[in-house]
Amino acid sequence: MSSYTPELYFLLLPLLATIPYGASFHTDLNSGLVKNLFLKTKKRHYFAAKYLAVFLSGAAAVLIPLLVNLALTAATLPSLMPEIGPRTFPVMTTDMWAGLFYTHPYAYLFAYLLLIALFSGFLPAISLCVSFYVKNRFAVLLSPFILCLFIHSVSQLLGNHSLDPITYLNPGAAYSSVPLILLELIPLAVVTFLLFMVKGCRDDTF
């Protein structure tokens, strides 16, 4: 019997990653706290620390439940090498890292956990950048979720999920490849970091 829990978890992943700390810069900005902070520290130090804090909080918020789930599963179920023949496991031979799954399953798990952690860290950075232009706190928090949901909807219409993070971050539905994932992950990291740092440091007043 299949479960919709994994699909629901990865659908809500942008929200889970953003809610803990994604709107903190928006709060600092609109409360005037940044003006006081800039009297005590350099702008680039504040923005670099804020970006790092948001990245780590987003990664931890998503990764900790997955690690707890892995630990509880390992404590209650036997650890067996997966076999291709019986088709008991959802990973097909054509899926990403399928060879790793059937030879070193724990390496496969931790590779996916690393990938999920990276995306979960960089997605809330979208909220940091949106905070410069949007005054509504809820809009700031929802911006990564709305973007991912838009990509997911377009992927559903086109029938191609290779660029849909909601789909390919789920190990049971790996429809992508490492180059395509990096094609999204690297620009997401570079653009959000540079936009946040450059605009934040150049703005004279907030």
Side-chain angles (χ1 to χ4, degrees):
M1 181 176 179
S2 61
S3 171
Y4 289 101
T5 305
E7 287 78 7
L8 180 61
Y9 186 83
F10 286 99
L11 176 65
L12 297 177
L13 183 146
L15 282 178
L16 297 175
T18 307
I19 287 175
Y21 206 59
S24 60
F25 175 63
H26 178 271
T27 302
D28 293 351
L29 199 61
N30 288 278
S31 66
L33 179 61
V34 289
K35 297 177 182 179
N36 295 324
L37 291 174
F38 291 157
L39 297 175
K40 301 177 181 179
T41 185
K42 294 181 179 179
K43 283 186 176 182
R44 66 176 182 272
H45 293 164
Y46 166 81
F47 286 108
K50 178 64 71 175
Y51 192 94
L52 179 61
V54 168
F55 174 87
L56 293 177
S57 66
V62 172
L63 199 58
I64 289 175
L66 293 176
L67 290 173
V68 171
N69 178 69
L70 177 60
L72 293 175
T73 302
T76 55
L77 297 176
S79 180
L80 303 175
M81 283 294 293
E83 298 179 2
I84 301 176
R87 295 187 178 182
T88 306
F89 301 92
V91 180
M92 301 292 104
T93 55
T94 55
D95 289 343
M96 186 175 71
W97 297 335
L100 187 63
F101 176 77
Y102 287 104
T103 55
H104 300 89
Y106 280 99
Y108 173 89
L109 285 175
F110 285 108
Y112 252 104
L113 288 173
L114 176 61
L115 177 63
I116 293 167
L118 289 174
F119 261 97
S120 302
F122 288 123
L123 280 176
I126 297 172
S127 293
L128 291 179
C129 299
V130 172
S131 296
F132 287 116
Y133 309 101
V134 177
K135 296 296 183 182
N136 187 284
R137 177 183 172 84
F138 291 103
V140 170
L141 284 172
L142 288 173
S143 55
F145 176 72
I146 292 172
L147 176 61
C148 289
L149 194 61
F150 173 77
I151 295 173
H152 182 67
S153 300
V154 172
S155 299
Q156 292 278 63
L157 289 174
L158 298 178
N160 186 342
H161 295 276
S162 58
L163 293 176
D164 177 16
I166 290 176
T167 300
Y168 64 64
L169 288 179
N170 186 349
Y175 296 105
S176 191
S177 63
V178 174
L180 288 175
I181 291 174
L182 292 178
L183 191 64
E184 280 190 332
L185 182 60
I186 293 176
L188 173 64
V190 172
V191 170
T192 55
F193 180 77
L194 289 181
L195 178 60
F196 186 63
M197 291 295 297
V198 171
K199 180 167 178 57
C201 291
R202 284 184 177 177
D203 285 354
D204 294 328
T205 58
F206 291 94

